[in-house]
Amino acid sequence: MKITYLSHSCFLLETASHTLIIDPFLTGNPVAQAKAADIRCDYVLVTHGHSDHVGDAVEIAKNNDATIIAPYEVADFLSRQGAKGHPLGLGGGFNFPFGRVKLTIAFHSSGYPPETEKGGFVYLGVPAGLLIEADGKTIHHAGDTALTVEMQLLGQRNKIDVAMLPIGDNFTMGPEDAAVAAEFLKPGLTIPMHYNTFGLINQDAAAFVRTLASRGLAGRVLEIGETITV
Ligand code: NI
Ligand code: MN
């Protein structure tokens, strides 16, 4: 499987048979290099309703006749905008043609920002993380979340090859909590995400990886646009 980091919490996963994009926030993202119009994929996975995760999901799904896989209310909200949606609930998984996707617990919030100055988020249920099994590999994308003890259970019950964990602080776990999350999850490789996109979430990702190393855990900072094969 090939994993390409497109910035923030957005990754492109190329399995043997299909291409998936996760949390495709490209338009309006000050550090993204890829353009939504250029993305080719079969599935769009969205962890929750915040605009820095929904991003270009509908446009990309429509361009590619791709299916959006998301928590129930997010999938419903986006399918009303003309995309194909596959809803999942927390703890629920489904076997797709490329492999399995299960929603994991994320402690965060989920709402789409108001389109008028009057305010009023469109609230979109509970946020989630993703457990993706494809090509014999298990990938965990934590979405936006606080450190939770549920991660211990996830690590006990799954042999996670790669974990993508938010380290930005302010809206999600910061580096200290994310390092504990990695200890709980025991992944073969941890990739930091959700940092340095805008000022409130500036972090030293290399320092985070050094912290992981001091605890016997492998981490790797991916440059924007960098691809690794796992
Ligand atoms: Ni969020
Ligand atoms: Mn976010």
Side-chain angles (χ1 to χ4, degrees), residues 2-14 21-23 26 29 31-34 141 164-167 191-197 201 205 220-228:
K2 280 191 199 171
I3 299 175
T4 302
Y5 184 49
L6 298 182
S7 80
H8 203 53
S9 296
C10 181
F11 292 85
L12 196 76
L13 268 52
E14 295 170 77
I21 193 167
I22 304 173
D23 285 353
L26 300 172
N29 172 340
V31 298
Q33 295 166 0
H141 183 290
M164 294 103 161
L165 301 181
I167 66 161
I191 299 171
M193 64 176 182
H194 209 271
Y195 66 95
N196 291 4
T197 317
I201 58 172
R220 180 161 172 177
V221 178
L222 294 192
E223 300 300 325
I224 294 168
E226 185 176 359
T227 300
I228 58 168

Side-chain angles (χ1 to χ4, degrees), residues 6-152:
L6 298 182
S7 80
H8 203 53
S9 296
C10 181
F11 292 85
L12 196 76
L13 268 52
E14 295 170 77
T15 75
S17 60
H18 294 80
T19 300
L20 289 53
I21 193 167
I22 304 173
D23 285 353
F25 171 47
L26 300 172
T27 303
N29 172 340
V31 298
Q33 295 166 0
K35 297 269 176 284
D38 298 332
I39 300 294
R40 296 288 165 264
C41 65
D42 304 289
Y43 293 89
V44 181
L45 282 60
V46 179
T47 59
H48 64 291
H50 289 155
S51 54
D52 59 321
H53 298 263
V54 169
D56 304 293
V58 171
E59 180 190 337
I60 291 170
K62 284 183 180 174
N63 285 348
N64 292 278
D65 197 25
T67 298
I68 296 177
I69 302 170
Y72 188 93
E73 289 82 356
V74 175
D76 181 81
F77 177 69
L78 299 178
S79 65
R80 284 168 198 274
Q81 296 169 38
K84 285 191 291 186
H86 182 112
L88 292 173
L90 285 187
F94 186 81
N95 296 325
F96 293 92
F98 59 85
R100 185 170 175 81
V101 178
K102 181 178 179 179
L103 292 193
T104 62
I105 290 169
F107 280 11
H108 188 63
S109 61
S110 181
Y112 201 73
E115 288 176 6
T116 70
E117 287 185 5
K118 285 184 180 172
F121 269 82
V122 178
Y123 273 95
L124 291 172
V126 290
L130 306 164
L131 196 65
I132 301 164
E133 294 172 314
D135 299 355
K137 300 288 180 186
T138 300
I139 312 296
H140 176 50
H141 183 290
D144 279 1
T145 184
L147 173 64
T148 86
V149 76
E150 280 76 8
M151 291 166 176
Q152 225 166 5

